[in-house]
């Protein structure tokens, strides 16, 4: 029996790990446990509910306005305790959050193999996205199995000197999550009641490096767009970070056809996404989901670690300058043919079977790759 402990704590990690946990639970050779850090609370619980996941352990670390150091140290300490209880053969982490890096570090300190899901994404800019770029680079250095979503992410890892036999191109598990959500019944209460003659623009922003002036300039551009197109409804699901919400309320409230809403759960969000004509976002996961649903995206950042979407043509990098966002969005909204061209692309991020591949690889490494002794199961913590 391979004891696999999956650790995650924010909304996007949960969305991308939920289908993998469900896949691991199906495998008779694997005993799967889940530890949520609770780096996010309400936004994490929404995801757990949608996917019907009941974590075995919950560190419940979220505090309002938490610092990076507070998150990292609380997760490091908390995961250590869980490792003592579970004695895992493998710890799985996801992506680039502080929960991810701290959990990987806790596993490393106990010499437990680490599997990194969504390995190899890079901007190669230390402060963009901050702190995610260094979180993922450091996690990749610590990891033993690297599940790269695309060939490009594998290439990054190879160039950094990580041996090729530890890197597996699997596709991104977000496409697996989408297969689950879009086949689900449409939620009854949809927050955007559109008239047939209205178009929906979806706007989200939350990145740390965008808080302050950049996010204010994003919101000002959105306001001008609502004024420029009288058939446009702009829906802004607001991240629960108070810094995001206060700027949105100050600049966008009271504006006709701009709707500020609490973050809908992922089922509702994916249905909204599928109805949007254009997406403006600084989110990582939404770039991938929009590409999978053929929705054009203006990326509100100076860099993206998803250049596959730029190359495919479904993403465009516009940064956070008010004038540039307004002009680019206005141009697209005035040119349905260009919007249609951006939408008609093949999704570069995966085929919806990443989780099966990852589970297969874990079984293979532990059961059939024994000669190199890198992975061994059925050991106890005391044996290490
Ligand atoms: C975190 C991740 C980021 C990811 C984002 C996804 C790090 C450093 N950042 O950023 O990579 O893109 O999650 O959303 O790991 N809050 C609530 N309830 C919630 C969630 C958040 O009230 O359910 C509030 C809290 O006041 C919290 C603040 O939001 O202090 C910020 O949360 P935090 O996890 O520190 O950072 P994010 O910006 O969400
Ligand atoms: N999402 C959601 N409700 C929202 C906004 C986003 O369920 O109101 C989902 C979205 O579908 C995607 C994920 O949350 O799967 C992205 O999370 P976020 O943008 O917070 O983080 P990032 O991907 O940038 O790390």
């Amino acid at each position: 029996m391979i004891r696999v402990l999956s650790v995650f704590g924010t909304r996007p990690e949960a969305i991308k790990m939920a289908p993998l946990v469900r896949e691991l639970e199906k495998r008779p050779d694997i005993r799967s446990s889940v530890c949520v850090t609770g780096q996010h609370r309400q936004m994490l619980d929404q995801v757990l509910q949608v996917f019907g996941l009941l974590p075995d352990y919950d560190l419940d670390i979220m505090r309002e306005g938490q610092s990076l150091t507070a998150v990292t140290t609380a997760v490091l300490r908390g995961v250590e305790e869980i490792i003592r209880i579970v004695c895992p053969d493998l710890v799985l982490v996801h992506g680039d959050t502080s929960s991810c890096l701290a959990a990987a570090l806790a596993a490393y300190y106990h010499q437990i193999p680490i599997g990194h899901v969504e390995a190899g994404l890079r901007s190669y800019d230390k402060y963009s996205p901050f702190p995610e770029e260094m979180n993922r680079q450091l996690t990749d250095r610590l990891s033993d199995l690297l599940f790269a979503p695309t060939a490009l992410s594998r290439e990054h890892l190879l160039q950094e000197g990580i041996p090729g036999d530890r890197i597996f191109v699997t596709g991104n598990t977000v496409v697996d999550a989408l297969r689950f959500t879009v086949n689900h019944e449409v939620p009854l209460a949809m927050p955007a009641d559109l008239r047939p003659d209205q178009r929906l623009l979806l706007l989200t922003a939350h990145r740390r490096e965008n808080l302050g002036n950049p996010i204010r300039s994003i919101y000002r551009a959105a306001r001008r767009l609502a004024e420029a197109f009288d058939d446009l409804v702009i829906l802004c699901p607001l991240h629960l970070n108070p810094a995001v919400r206060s700027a949105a309320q100050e600049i966008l409230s009271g504006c006709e056809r701009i709707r500020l809403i609490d973050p809908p759960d992922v089922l509702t969000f994916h249905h909204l996404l599928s109805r949007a004509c254009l997406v403006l976002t600084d989110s990582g996961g939404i770039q991938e989901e929009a590409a999978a649903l053929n929705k054009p995206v203006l990326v509100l950042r100076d860099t993206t670690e998803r250049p596959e979407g730029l190359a495919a043509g479904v993403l465009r990098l516009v940064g956070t300058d008010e004038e540039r966002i307004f002009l680019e969005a206005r141009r697209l909204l005035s040119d349905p043919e260009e919007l249609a061209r951006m939408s008609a692309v093949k999704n570069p991020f995966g085929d919806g079977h990443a989780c099966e591949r990852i589970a297969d690889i874990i079984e293979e490494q532990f059961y059939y790759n024994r000669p190199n002794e890198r992975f061994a199961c059925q050991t106890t913590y005391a044996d290490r």
Side-chain angles (χ1 to χ4, degrees):
M1 192 65 85
I2 314 163
R3 283 165 300 199
V4 179
L5 175 65
S6 302
V7 185
F8 49 88
T10 65
R11 171 175 65 190
E13 295 167 271
I15 291 168
K16 292 168 166 184
M17 285 298 278
L20 179 55
V21 169
R22 289 166 68 111
E23 181 63 33
L24 295 174
E25 283 169 353
K26 283 193 218 154
R27 307 282 173 127
D29 293 338
I30 291 178
R31 191 192 302 155
S32 163
S33 315
V34 172
C35 169
V36 294
T37 66
Q39 178 178 336
H40 285 174
R41 191 66 279 164
Q42 304 90 323
M43 284 160 50
L44 170 73
D45 293 344
Q46 281 184 324
V47 183
L48 299 177
Q49 198 179 354
V50 163
F51 285 91
L53 283 191
L54 265 183
D56 302 278
Y57 307 95
D58 189 337
L59 304 179
D60 200 21
I61 65 147
M62 195 193 89
R63 303 289 177 267
E64 174 131 341
Q66 58 205 357
S67 70
L68 295 174
T69 307
V71 173
T72 305
T73 51
V75 173
L76 189 55
R77 285 206 183 91
V79 172
E80 171 162 87
E81 290 309 309
I82 307 307
I83 284 174
R84 286 187 205 283
I85 298 167
V86 177
C87 307
D89 300 303
L90 178 71
V91 170
L92 282 182
V93 295
H94 180 279
D96 54 20
T97 66
S98 295
S99 285
C100 167
L101 173 61
L105 197 54
Y108 170 67
Y109 285 162
H110 290 271
Q111 299 184 30
I112 297 180
I114 300 157
H116 188 199
V117 182
E118 202 179 85
L121 272 64
R122 296 289 184 268
S123 66
Y124 290 113
D125 179 341
K126 194 173 167 181
Y127 291 108
S128 176
F130 170 78
E132 290 82 2
E133 177 64 15
M134 291 315 293
N135 282 350
R136 59 192 171 216
Q137 289 201 24
L138 295 168
T139 303
D140 283 334
R141 296 305 310 172
L142 294 171
S143 294
D144 302 274
L145 294 175
L146 295 100
F147 302 110
T150 65
L152 180 66
S153 38
R154 175 182 158 86
E155 202 49 45
H156 292 145
L157 296 166
L158 288 172
Q159 279 169 13
E160 291 169 21
I162 294 177
D165 66 345
R166 285 163 44 189
I167 311 168
F168 305 87
V169 178
T170 59
N172 197 304
T173 60
V174 78
V175 188
D176 303 38
L178 267 171
R179 279 176 65 214
F180 171 82
T181 56
V182 296
N183 287 322
H184 232 268
E185 227 169 87
V186 183
L188 285 177
M190 292 294 278
D193 290 326
L194 293 186
R195 292 197 318 259
D197 60 329
Q198 285 181 319
R199 294 186 289 172
L200 177 67
L201 185 152
L202 206 50
L203 166 62
T204 81
H206 75 278
R207 302 235 78 83
R208 257 167 215 265
E209 67 273 18
N210 279 350
L211 298 180
N213 285 336
I215 211 165
R216 297 167 66 81
S217 123
I218 292 168
Y219 290 149
R220 280 196 301 270
R223 200 178 168 111
R224 287 171 63 189
L225 287 169
E227 286 158 4
F229 294 91
D230 56 16
D231 67 338
L232 196 65
V233 171
I234 301 184
L235 190 66
C236 304
L238 295 180
H239 190 289
L240 293 181
N241 188 338
V244 172
R245 299 171 80 79
S246 58
Q249 262 133 16
E250 180 198 321
I251 297 168
L252 297 177
S253 58
C255 185
E256 210 200 346
R257 286 178 291 102
I258 297 189
R259 302 193 187 146
L260 307 182
I261 58 168
D262 282 334
D265 69 37
V266 62
L267 280 183
T268 311
F269 189 82
H270 286 171
H271 283 286
L272 288 167
L273 197 52
S274 68
R275 289 167 57 175
C277 71
L278 180 63
V279 180
L280 267 58
T281 191
D282 65 4
S283 162
I286 296 172
Q287 292 178 52
E288 296 153 347
E289 292 167 344
L293 294 172
N294 296 103
K295 297 296 169 183
V297 182
L298 295 181
V299 182
L300 306 170
R301 295 168 47 179
D302 298 326
T303 57
T304 179
E305 56 294 274
R306 276 113 178 146
E308 298 90 341
L310 296 178
V314 69
L315 308 181
R316 261 179 216 172
L317 213 49
V318 295
T320 55
D321 177 69
E322 174 188 336
E323 190 66 9
R324 173 138 189 239
I325 297 168
F326 173 70
L327 291 177
E328 294 268 5
R330 188 179 67 175
R331 198 164 58 78
L332 284 179
L333 290 166
S334 314
D335 187 350
E337 283 176 13
E338 178 65 2
L339 270 182
R341 267 196 299 279
M342 280 182 80
S343 313
V345 298
K346 189 172 171 299
N347 171 23
F349 296 113
D351 63 359
H353 296 281
C355 297
E356 289 150 48
R357 289 188 192 102
I358 293 170
D360 286 348
I361 292 159
I362 292 171
E363 290 184 328
E364 226 172 78
Q365 293 294 319
F366 278 86
Y367 282 120
Y368 307 116
N369 238 359
R370 294 301 293 276
N372 72 16
E373 293 296 325
R374 188 181 304 130
F375 303 104
C377 51
Q378 304 263 4
T379 50
T380 65
Y381 181 72
D383 294 334
R384 291 178 187 280

